[in-house]
Amino acid sequence: MLFWILVAVLTAAVAIVLLLPLLRAGRDADSAEAHDAEVYRDQLDELQRDEAAGLIGRAEAELARAEIARRLIAASGHGQAAPEAAASPASERRRNRLAQVVVVVLLPAIGLCLYLLQGRPELPAQPLAARLAAPGNDLNILLAKAERHLAENPDDGAGWELLAPIYARNGRLEDAANAYSQAIRILGGSTERLDGHAETLIALADGVVTEDAREALEQSLALDAQNPRTRFYLALALEQEGKRAEARGAFEALAKDSPAEAPWLPLVNRHIASLGGNAAGQGAGQDPARAENDAPGGPTEEDVAAAGEMDAQGRQQMIEGMVDSLAARLKENPDNFEGWMRIIRSYVVLDQRRAAEEALALALKSFPPESDNGRQLLALAGELRITAGGDGQ
């Protein structure tokens, strides 16, 4: 009952706010007409005084009196002297009354019908603070919680690094570029951060390798000269600049150094062919028509389509899939320190603290606690309140 009382009060308040201008407009119109009529009556009185004092002749007085009387009749809305002037105020008043009926009757009725069809008054309240405290599988709430943490701790580089690819996967490219930039500022450059930042800038520029993206890629190449993701985009930059021979040479070198099953090889071969070169052998089972979005390390065609269409549960499953994929890569290459840092924090964000503790224990086998990387892992564990293989604090 309290809910419907509040609805009625709010509806009445809105109706009053909307009615006030309409009521004021009607009063203003009547007041204007009365004011004009009063002015013309004063003119008639003044004309009569001037005639009595001999200041104006009788003939001129009669002509002036007739003109003022005509204007008085028009202003009063009577007679047939000015039918259009008489009809206009009446028409305006009818429209005003119709608008009042719409505000008082139709709008509340339409709102009530829509709420009865779509509303859920039986649902309990969900305050924002409570949802942030227990986000469950709601990706938007998880993001809001992480963003609030970063607003309070803007120098948490690991937090920025975790959010950046999630932003990118959900189409928030400007936020992703900013997150990568913040992570690089705080944690320094790594191939993952620099390539991710460059890839986001390229997506923002509709596929054009911008100067800022090229600068990030060159820094990444200095860290790992064999990184196929970096080499692909730098070759693409040469092609976009019209340096066809140099671009073809860069693509051919990348194809030569790539394994036969590399998922990016079909796309590289297409670029080589378009530049007049001879494509290397394509990866087993790869269809060149499906390789348009398969740049090294970049999102696949299916990922791009899924990012904008899935619901919150689907996006959560996507994130879990990304984490599982990273876990598989770490199993094959346990020396990837940046990967261990990212997956530990990802597990905590997903509220899988035991998995985070197990990942920490595995990471410490590759990076002993007395090493620099091991100390960073332990510092991260203290920040996240987890222990290696133990219960979270």
Side-chain angles (χ1 to χ4, degrees):
M1 179 59 69
L2 178 60
F3 171 79
W4 292 109
I5 293 174
L6 291 174
V7 169
V9 171
L10 291 174
T11 302
V14 171
I16 290 172
V17 171
L18 295 176
L19 279 175
L20 285 177
L22 298 174
L23 296 173
R24 191 179 298 115
R27 289 198 300 269
D28 290 345
D30 294 339
S31 176
E33 292 177 5
H35 174 73
D36 291 344
E38 185 65 27
V39 168
Y40 294 137
R41 291 192 185 94
D42 290 342
Q43 289 179 351
L44 285 174
D45 293 340
E46 185 177 357
L47 181 61
Q48 186 175 358
R49 290 193 297 270
D50 290 346
E51 183 182 5
L55 298 176
I56 186 173
R58 180 168 182 160
E60 291 84 354
E62 288 297 330
L63 289 174
R65 188 176 291 108
E67 176 63 21
I68 295 173
R70 185 186 67 79
R71 294 181 182 179
L72 177 60
I73 292 172
S76 302
H78 299 302
Q80 302 299 321
E84 293 181 1
S88 179
S91 176
E92 185 66 29
R93 282 193 290 270
R94 283 196 297 272
R95 287 196 296 269
N96 191 289
R97 283 196 294 270
L98 180 60
Q100 294 177 28
V101 171
V102 170
V103 170
V104 174
V105 179
L106 290 184
L107 288 183
I110 292 172
L112 178 61
C113 291
L114 289 175
Y115 185 79
L116 291 176
L117 289 174
Q118 302 292 334
R120 299 282 302 278
E122 74 279 4
L123 290 179
Q126 292 183 307
L128 178 60
R131 284 181 287 153
L132 288 175
N137 291 328
D138 191 331
L139 177 62
N140 293 323
I141 297 300
L142 288 169
L143 282 176
K145 189 173 183 179
E147 288 167 346
R148 186 176 69 175
H149 167 76
L150 288 173
E152 298 172 352
N153 303 276
D155 291 330
D156 181 1
W160 288 113
E161 185 175 25
L162 175 64
L163 275 184
I166 298 176
Y167 280 146
R169 293 269 181 174
N170 284 276
R172 296 173 58 176
L173 297 178
E174 292 184 358
D175 291 332
N178 176 65
Y180 275 120
S181 178
Q182 296 291 343
I184 293 170
R185 175 183 65 84
I186 299 166
L187 302 177
S190 69
T191 55
E192 286 292 328
R193 297 182 200 115
L194 292 166
D195 287 348
H197 189 211
E199 204 165 47
T200 304
L201 294 175
I202 294 169
L204 279 170
D206 296 325
V208 176
V209 182
T210 63
E211 188 62 33
D212 290 340
R214 178 196 283 272
E215 182 179 344
L217 291 167
E218 290 173 347
Q219 293 177 24
S220 177
L221 191 66
L223 297 174
D224 182 2
Q226 298 302 316
N227 188 341
R229 185 180 183 186
T230 309
R231 294 171 65 187
F232 173 85
Y233 284 119
L234 286 174
L236 181 62
L238 292 172
E239 181 180 356
Q240 291 174 351
E241 292 174 1
K243 300 177 180 179
R244 295 175 60 84
E246 295 179 42
R248 186 179 66 192
F251 280 123
E252 288 175 344
L254 175 57
K256 181 180 178 180
D257 295 340
S258 299
E261 69 279 3
W264 60 83
L265 190 57
L267 180 57
V268 172
N269 285 331
R270 289 179 60 183
H271 280 277
I272 295 173
S274 69
L275 293 169
N278 295 320
Q282 294 181 359
Q286 291 290 331
D287 180 1
R290 296 184 56 198
E292 187 64 31
N293 288 315
D294 288 342
T300 65
E301 194 173 51
E302 292 79 9
D303 290 338
V304 174
E309 297 178 2
M310 60 179 56
D311 56 15
Q313 183 177 0
R315 288 193 295 268
Q316 178 73 7
Q317 292 174 352
M318 172 184 280
I319 294 175
E320 293 175 351
M322 292 166 56
V323 173
D324 291 341
S325 177
L326 178 58
R329 293 200 300 272
L330 288 171
K331 187 175 181 180
E332 297 176 358
N333 179 24
D335 293 331
N336 184 352
F337 173 70
E338 295 292 340
W340 286 115
M341 293 285 284
R342 179 176 297 177
I343 199 170
I344 291 169
R345 187 174 287 274
S346 298
Y347 278 138
V348 172
V349 170
L350 293 172
D351 201 24
Q352 299 178 16
R353 303 185 68 84
R354 183 168 294 279
E357 293 166 349
E358 292 173 355
L360 174 62
L362 291 173
L364 289 174
K365 291 180 179 179
S366 299
F367 303 98
E370 60 273 10
S371 66
D372 290 340
N373 289 337
R375 283 192 288 270
Q376 290 186 51
L377 287 167
L378 292 176
L380 176 64
E383 175 188 342
L384 300 177
R385 296 185 180 181
I386 61 173
T387 57
D391 295 331
Q393 296 176 3

